[in-house]
Amino acid sequence: MVLSQALTGFVFTLALCFVKAAIECTDDHCAEDPIQSGLLSWYEEWKQGFQVAYITVDDLRDEYDFIVIGAGVGGSVVAHRLAMHDSHPAVLLLEAGSKHQTSGVHPEITPVLVQLNQLTDIDWQFKSEPSDGYCCEWYNNSQLAMPRGKVMGGSGVLNYMMWVRGHRADWDDLMRVDGWTWDDVLPFFKKIESVHAYGGFRSQLDGVRGFDGPVIVNAASELRSRGTVFEDAAIEACEAEGIPYLPFGQNNGDNIG
């Protein structure tokens, strides 16, 4: 366990150093390096999604039509939906934590570093009940850390921002609840997301993906043009073993690949 934690810490520290060096590099050779220029372009694009207009106590109104508690992904979407209503209601979105850090190379906005946000002051640091004989028995006091976000953006700041709907068969065969089949939940998945990818193939994806919702979703495959020899080799190795490459991601009903 100690070795695993030390190795994890080393990997994240190394990743931080690489990202920081690539993004902050201003030499001419950095602009010519496809990996560094691609990383810089991606990072600047990524940061745009974290710009938030905060208000102070002095800006508060005497009353609001709706008050939404919790500015995670769910609360933010609810507040947005309410604010966009034709009646133009006054909506207040409250979050217990601090402002989101968006300057420089910060773990709060760098996906590969998000684990560094856990067990910090932006994490409620909840723990499971002590459990003997189950998954937590080897942890301290047999409790498992349950990170929950205490920051603008909620728990999305503490996880890897993976947007995964699950497999069609999981909804149809495992859930077995009326109103919760894949076809039942698909319209809501589409309604909530705004996919900023696959521009030239939108007509092929209209049936399964959403492009006008409040939650912006990017695609890892969009980074392939900025990828590395290692990434290409990994994909080729998987395909050689019969694991297909999914050009349109893992949210189309079949996420095996």
Side-chain angles (χ1 to χ4, degrees):
M1 179 62 70
V2 174
L3 178 59
S4 175
Q5 292 175 341
L7 182 59
T8 300
F10 171 76
V11 171
F12 278 104
T13 302
L14 185 63
L16 176 60
C17 291
F18 173 76
V19 173
K20 184 176 179 64
I23 291 174
E24 295 182 350
C25 181
T26 58
D27 295 340
D28 292 339
H29 76 273
C30 295
E32 298 174 357
D33 187 303
I35 297 178
Q36 289 182 316
S37 63
L39 180 59
L40 177 60
S41 174
W42 168 82
Y43 187 75
E44 291 301 323
E45 179 182 340
W46 175 266
K47 284 180 62 177
Q48 294 178 11
F50 292 89
Q51 304 308 313
V52 177
Y54 296 98
I55 64 173
T56 66
V57 174
D58 295 332
D59 298 321
L60 291 174
R61 303 181 183 182
D62 292 333
E63 60 182 39
Y64 287 87
D65 298 305
F66 298 96
I67 298 177
V68 180
I69 309 298
V73 175
S76 297
V77 169
V78 169
H80 178 269
R81 292 289 193 195
L82 290 170
M84 292 297 102
H85 192 270
D86 292 340
S87 62
H88 303 293
V91 181
L92 176 64
L93 177 61
L94 294 177
E95 172 56 51
S98 59
K99 294 182 178 180
H100 206 303
Q101 296 293 330
T102 59
S103 60
V105 182
H106 197 281
E108 289 186 26
I109 58 173
T110 308
V112 72
L113 305 175
V114 293
Q115 185 173 334
L116 301 178
N117 297 320
Q118 298 180 14
L119 302 180
T120 67
D121 60 353
I122 64 170
D123 180 1
W124 284 101
Q125 301 187 35
F126 294 140
K127 294 183 180 297
S128 64
E129 290 295 320
S131 175
D132 295 325
Y134 295 97
C135 63
C136 310
E137 62 179 345
W138 55 83
Y139 287 92
N140 292 333
N141 198 32
S142 298
Q143 292 179 296
L144 183 65
M146 304 181 70
R148 294 285 88 190
K150 189 182 179 183
V151 62
M152 186 65 69
S155 300
V157 179
L158 304 184
N159 59 41
Y160 288 87
M161 303 290 284
M162 302 293 286
W163 188 257
V164 182
R165 298 174 174 179
H167 199 286
R168 173 190 291 269
D170 291 338
W171 292 96
D172 293 344
D173 300 333
L174 295 181
M175 291 288 288
R176 295 184 181 179
V177 178
D178 290 341
W180 286 88
T181 66
W182 170 264
D183 290 334
D184 291 325
V185 299
L186 180 58
F188 298 97
F189 279 133
K190 292 176 59 180
K191 187 176 182 179
I192 197 174
E193 68 181 5
S194 179
V195 177
H196 286 196
Y198 319 123
F201 300 91
R202 176 166 176 168
S203 60
Q204 296 176 233
L205 297 170
D206 272 342
V208 290
R209 303 305 302 269
F211 296 89
D212 302 304
V215 177
I216 296 175
V217 180
N218 290 299
S221 61
E222 293 290 290
L223 299 176
R224 283 205 66 187
S225 60
R226 314 169 189 172
T228 66
V229 173
F230 172 78
E231 291 172 351
D232 292 337
I235 292 173
E236 290 177 6
C238 289
E239 291 179 324
E241 292 299 317
I243 303 174
Y245 174 66
L246 304 178
F248 299 124
Q250 297 176 306
N251 289 301
N252 303 317
D254 184 357
N255 54 8
I256 304 301

